[in-house]
Amino acid sequence: MRYPKFLPKNGTIGFVAPSFGCASEPYRTAFENAQKIFKEKGYSLDLGPNCYEDQGIGISNTPKACARELEKYYCSSRNDILISCGGGEMMCETIGEVDFQKLKEADPKWFMGYSDNTNLIFLLTTLCDTAGVYGPCAASFGMEPWHESLFDA
């Protein structure tokens, strides 16, 4: 099993929306507050183009656009980890567009999300032999004060 490096102090957090994004309320406001909190903690942010998209029901953009964003940000050296913007309903369509060989050949990177993100975390583990985190999506980090589970994540 490949275990990615943990997020370094003052590292860069990448955000992607392989399923649902943060275009509507209350997710948009919570995500914006999460960004503010992460910046205050010293982290840099790397937002994918689908984070604020709303091109479908239960999905941020087309399955192909979501897959390309995921591949690009997973393989990028500009961010240290990835957090999904939200859950959703349509990642089962995105998954068919993802080049898992490309992800397998990339340096392992933590991907965290829950709900619809189970589709990706399961396949990262089984197809790419890479650990993932079934945990909070981006907007959850916008709560104040943070629940203990967010510090753990």
Side-chain angles (χ1 to χ4, degrees):
M1 175 69 61
R2 299 180 334 148
Y3 291 95
K5 295 176 184 173
F6 289 108
L7 177 63
K9 183 176 181 174
N10 300 323
T12 301
I13 302 168
F15 295 97
V16 292
S19 190
F20 189 70
C22 291
S24 62
E25 293 299 342
Y27 308 103
R28 183 180 192 95
T29 298
F31 181 46
E32 288 171 352
N33 199 50
Q35 291 175 59
K36 178 181 92 64
I37 292 169
F38 280 129
K39 286 178 184 176
E40 288 170 355
K41 291 183 177 298
Y43 296 105
S44 297
L45 309 178
D46 185 18
L47 275 66
N50 294 325
C51 290
Y52 289 111
E53 285 296 320
D54 191 16
Q55 300 297 317
I57 297 173
I59 191 166
S60 61
N61 207 329
T62 66
K64 184 172 254 176
C66 290
R68 295 299 81 82
E69 176 192 55
L70 176 63
E71 291 168 1
K72 180 180 177 181
Y73 280 70
Y74 190 91
C75 296
S76 174
S77 60
R78 289 179 34 194
N79 59 68
D80 299 300
I81 65 164
L82 292 180
I83 300 177
S84 180
C85 285
E89 302 173 13
M90 304 302 290
M91 196 183 291
C92 56
E93 293 185 13
T94 299
I95 289 300
E97 301 287 341
V98 174
D99 182 348
F100 281 95
Q101 188 61 36
K102 185 183 277 188
L103 301 186
K104 186 175 185 174
E105 292 170 359
D107 289 335
K109 182 176 290 187
W110 289 111
F111 173 86
M112 182 168 64
Y114 73 137
S115 188
D116 210 25
N117 293 285
T118 304
N119 290 284
L120 178 61
I121 293 168
F122 176 74
L123 294 175
L124 276 175
T125 303
T126 58
L127 296 179
C128 301
D129 198 34
T130 303
V133 178
Y134 186 81
C137 290
S140 296
F141 291 93
M143 74 168 62
E144 293 187 61
W146 272 12
H147 183 271
E148 183 180 334
S149 63
L150 294 177
F151 286 103
D152 288 345

